[in-house]
Amino acid sequence: MPTVRRTRPWTQKPPVAARINLGNSLLQGASLVVPFSEGAGKGSVFDYVSLTSSTPDSGYASVWEQGAYGLATRSTNSSYGNYFTVSTPSTSCTIALIARAASGDNGLICGTNDDNPNRCAFSTFSGVLYWDYGDSGGTGRVSWTPAGSWFGPYHIIALRAGTLGMELWSDGTKQASSGSSTSRSSSSETFGLASQPLYGGTLAGF
């Protein structure tokens, strides 16, 4: 039987609540897979791993937009959040997302709203991007100050942390790293996506 090879990128996201192949090697051990396919509503988004939706606070509000990689959502209210209850890994973690942050955004793009030594957060503050995992005052933080032109467009972000250290990648280029082992004190936390007060950008895929 001939092999069919796709020669162009996918142009649309999967329908809401579609099943995905969690046996694929890229998804082994995944805690969340959220493509933001909804395109409408107050902000509840579907996780293709647990087959459940996020829980926005009662006052949460968001808007949808068509971005460079398809539908995206962002919060419009600074007082409420949008969360999943998941087991965020405590010994190692890899996060891949499509996101953008505007110049002047200050806050978490995604992550847990925890203090040291239990941080797991990707954030922006005063033009600097921070990736925290564990104790951000010790070995659990790397940071990168991108050029001003980075803010505004969408970017493919990859974050890694664990016994081999930490890395922050943007659009296929490693921008910050540390070789020091890091871990968190707990794995049971809520995880916020594109939500205030856990908001610092617009998410298109996670």
Side-chain angles (χ1 to χ4, degrees), residues 8-116:
R8 62 185 177 86
W10 293 102
T11 57
Q12 65 182 39
K13 296 186 177 184
V16 177
R19 297 300 179 95
I20 61 174
N21 179 17
L22 292 176
N24 187 289
S25 59
L26 292 175
L27 296 175
Q28 293 297 303
S31 297
L32 281 173
V33 176
V34 185
F36 297 94
S37 301
E38 289 77 7
K42 66 176 290 183
S44 180
V45 290
F46 190 78
D47 169 33
Y48 286 48
V49 176
S50 65
L51 303 181
T52 61
S53 294
S54 61
T55 304
D57 291 335
S58 60
Y60 179 79
S62 66
V63 296
W64 290 87
E65 66 183 37
Q66 188 70 28
Y69 298 93
L71 289 168
T73 185
R74 62 182 172 85
S75 168
T76 58
N77 191 306
S78 62
S79 300
Y80 301 94
N82 186 17
Y83 308 98
F84 283 97
T85 300
V86 299
S87 180
T88 308
S90 60
T91 57
S92 63
C93 179
T94 299
I95 296 175
L97 64 153
I98 298 171
R100 70 176 177 89
S103 178
D105 279 349
N106 291 309
L108 294 185
I109 296 173
C110 65
T112 61
N113 196 21
D114 299 307
D115 295 325
N116 294 328

Side-chain angles (χ1 to χ4, degrees), residues 156-193:
I156 299 174
I157 307 295
L159 310 165
R160 183 187 65 79
T163 56
L164 297 179
M166 302 182 69
E167 294 179 352
L168 188 166
W169 293 70
S170 175
D171 301 317
T173 300
K174 182 165 62 176
Q175 302 292 358
S177 64
S178 167
S180 299
S181 175
T182 185
S183 62
R184 302 171 66 235
S185 61
S186 172
S187 62
S188 179
E189 301 293 340
T190 56
F191 198 93
L193 300 178

Side-chain angles (χ1 to χ4, degrees), residues 106-113 119-124 195 197-201:
N106 291 309
L108 294 185
I109 296 173
C110 65
T112 61
N113 196 21
R119 296 276 291 167
C120 180
F122 178 50
S123 61
T124 176
S195 57
L198 302 182
Y199 168 71

